[in-house]
Every structure is written in structure tokens, then in C-alpha cells.
Amino acid sequence: MTIYPLQVESEGFDDRGAYAALFHALAEPTRLALLEHLAAGEHRVRDLVDHMHVAQSTVSKHLACLRDCGLVTVRAEGRSSWFRLADPSRLAALMTVADGLLSASGVALSLRDHHNHDKLTAEEG
């Protein structure tokens, strides 16, 4: 497999930490599910907790990560915090590109296989 140099016409590429933080935010299934739910519109933390069936602290932790990366925004209304996607069209475009990369690879990826990669490699060798 040949790896081609990544060519990005962006001055910000020099800060690989920002890219790493963004992709880290997208690398967690619960955060992806939150983004998918927020694609339907603005939601309160309580709504997301009820929908996701996870603890409020877990939802808040993931939302903080997504907010820190600029993927979601928050507005306060009374005692409630309302979250929404910061840039729905660009996030949708990014996910479309990701779908294309996965399809082009011809490999069916799964988290189970990814987490067990070292174990699977050892068993094959």
C-alpha cells in the first residue's frame, strides 16, 4: 500500500494538535451518536440524556469535548443549556467524505476488530 503525502492548503495544518483534537472528538461512538441526534435540531442536555439513556454527567462530558472542538454550540435559556451543531452542512460533508473513504477501502471496519487488532495480529503470526 502506498501512502501519499497529505497535501492541505491550510495555514492551520502546521498545528496538528488541532486536527488531532477534532478527530479525537469524532472517534468516540457516543459523541457520534450525540452529533447525529443534534443533526435533527437543538436539544437540551436533559433531552439528550433521555434519548441516549446514559448519565447526565456522561452526556455533559461528551458535549464539552464537542464544544471545545467547535462542533457544537450552546446557548443558555434560564437554567437550561441548549446544544446545536455549529456547522451542520460542513459536518455532513465531512461524514460524506468519511463514508467515501470507508467504502473505497473495501474493508468492513468495526470497533471490535480495531480494539482487538494487537490480539488478532498475534494470533495470525
Side-chain angles (χ1 to χ4, degrees), residues 55-102:
Q56 184 272 328
S57 60
T58 301
V59 170
S60 293
K61 176 185 74 166
H62 288 306
L63 288 171
C65 176
L66 295 170
R67 186 188 64 235
D68 291 347
C69 291
L71 294 171
V72 300
T73 60
V74 62
R75 71 174 176 85
E77 184 178 285
R79 294 178 53 193
S80 296
S81 295
W82 290 82
F83 286 83
R84 66 178 172 274
L85 297 180
D87 194 339
S89 60
R90 285 190 185 182
L91 183 58
L94 177 61
M95 299 313 274
T96 298
V97 170
D99 285 341
L101 285 170
L102 290 172

Side-chain angles (χ1 to χ4, degrees), residues 116-125:
N116 295 325
H117 185 268
D118 291 336
K119 182 180 173 185
L120 292 173
T121 303
E123 290 174 0
E124 292 173 359

